[in-house]
Amino acid sequence: MIRHEKLKKVIALTFVYITLILMYVPIIILIIYSFTESRTIGNWTGFSVQLYINMFEDPEIMGALTNSVIIALASSLLATAIGTFSAVGIYHLRKAPKVYMDTVSQITMVNADIVTGIAFMLFFLIIKVIPDGFGTLIIAHTIICIPYVIMSVTPRLTQLNPNLYEAGLDLGSPPIKTMLTVILPQLIPGMIAGFALSFTLSLDDFVITKFINGDVDTISTYLYTKIKVKGVQPELRAMSTVILLAIMLILVFINVYNKIKKNKTTSR
Amino acid sequence: MKRLTFNRKLFALPYGVLSALFVIVPLLVLLYFAFVDGDGKFTFENFADIFSKGTIKVLFYSFGVALLTTVICLVIAYPLAMILANSRFNKSALLVMMFILPMWINSLLRMYALKNLFIELLQIDTGFFMVLCGMVYDFFPFMLLPIYTIFVSMDKSLIEASYDLGASPIKTFFRVKVPLSMPGVISGIIMVFMPTVSTFAISDILGKPENIMFGNLINYWFTKNHWNLGSAYAFFLLILIGITMIISSKLTGGKAKATTGGIL
């Protein structure tokens, strides 16, 4: 019986690790071959960091990276601010207004990117106020990220003492100030999760961006045109590795932060 | 007292206004474009085009690819989620994290990596197979996550009760575990099936011209400046998504949620 149990465990874990390896093989190969100069993968021409040097000297790549970070930062900050306030408001809404808010955020989350992207494109085209570029991208990304912030913040609200807000008002603090000094500090973990989710959503987005980017290239649109038009450019491997490492660092940071936070609360 | 609660609801107002302007109005604009021709006259022609022979073929091809992708994802994700959620096999959250990590890597980057692997290292260059692998690779975490979540939160006493009442492991699996995990499975299916139909980047990068999906058609009309046709196609897709959402919420009593929530 014990041997049977052990065998089951071995089979189960083998399955887990094979799937995991399959998921990581393409990424790892890309990283390995970013340290050689050859044009094609599979042809190792000796260790070199030349691709990295080329990449950091390439104005197009650096421009796309900077644009992506600016847009992701701006839209996730905006989305976190608006989303947090909305989460508090929606939490206290009832009936029709609540149904409206829930439906709108659900539509935003489940709608196909291509439909959202086209709708934005036609909308910006018709109102003719904002030319395609940073403005349209930041607006669109913010709108797409808000529901995810609401979703991250709402669980914290349910754990909140419902009398806190009233206590603040009773003691003479105006609503905005009560919100900022009493409610908000309690929501910070949810806000951080929402911000991180928004940041990666914005950084990752290609489809919506493609329809409204004007002549502003982000990492995604840059990658797409390069992969499609010019064929595979070896510098992209270095760029991928840098982005990968950056994302992994952020994730490790978030995890460590959460662990510390958890230890603090359990030791109390 | 009444004034105070009123104030708190007002915090939702900015998003209420923004969402009306930037979510509802753009969709109405899309609807308008779908129902007019190039001169702005009302027409059904754009929608009629969806039922032309070529488009129907692409639509059914897309459904086929999406179905295959969904089934492959489900077949791998279901046992995987069970193992990961079972404390006998896995005690670390890190392992689960490892499966979700690729989701944060730009999807185009991953497709680029996959293309490199296939063409240059494995010397394989078949459109259909590569597109299918790309779809599974891209959407797999969206199937794994909801099923894993439901297995973690599953009431273990129900399973124990089944054993105590004399059911065999196989019977317990089919009669207790599977029904209890259905909301997660349906969430996963929603988050894989329709996104596969509507994607165009994956088939663009990995596929050949004959491997186009419905999403590629929409993109094609827009790159060729046939906005009205593209809008009708997009609106048709929106209706399909709406239908799948309604069916799924009916099936699960609103328990299935198409979100990527709870990852962090």
Side-chain angles (χ1 to χ4, degrees), chain A residues 148-202:
Chain A
Y148 293 93
V149 177
I150 296 177
M151 199 176 68
S152 313
V153 170
T154 306
R156 302 285 308 181
L157 281 168
T158 53
Q159 300 161 5
L160 212 64
N161 185 337
N163 299 319
L164 272 177
Y165 183 78
E166 266 101 21
L169 294 184
D170 284 347
L171 292 169
S173 166
I176 296 281
K177 200 180 166 198
T178 314
M179 174 73 189
L180 291 178
T181 56
V182 180
I183 307 293
L184 218 60
Q186 316 253 356
L187 303 178
I188 284 173
M191 289 166 69
I192 291 176
F195 176 83
L197 202 55
S198 304
F199 191 82
T200 46
L201 266 174
S202 166

Side-chain angles (χ1 to χ4, degrees), chain A residues 51-71:
Chain A
L51 290 182
Y52 287 88
I53 297 169
N54 293 353
M55 175 207 141
F56 283 109
E57 282 172 355
D58 188 325
E60 272 185 62
I61 294 182
M62 292 321 280
L65 272 173
T66 324
N67 292 346
S68 278
V69 171
I70 292 172
I71 292 159

Side-chain angles (χ1 to χ4, degrees), chain A residues 5 24 41 204 224 251, chain B residues 88 98 101 106 120 137 204:
Chain A
E5 192 61 14
Y24 280 89
I41 278 183
D204 205 41
Y224 182 73
L251 286 176
Chain B
R88 269 190 306 152
M98 290 287 286
L101 198 75
N106 192 308
E120 294 182 31
Y137 190 26
D204 243 7

Side-chain angles (χ1 to χ4, degrees), chain A residues 20-33:
Chain A
L20 204 58
I21 289 167
L22 282 178
M23 279 178 92
Y24 280 89
V25 159
I27 302 170
I28 290 166
I29 286 174
L30 206 64
I31 294 176
I32 294 173
Y33 278 94

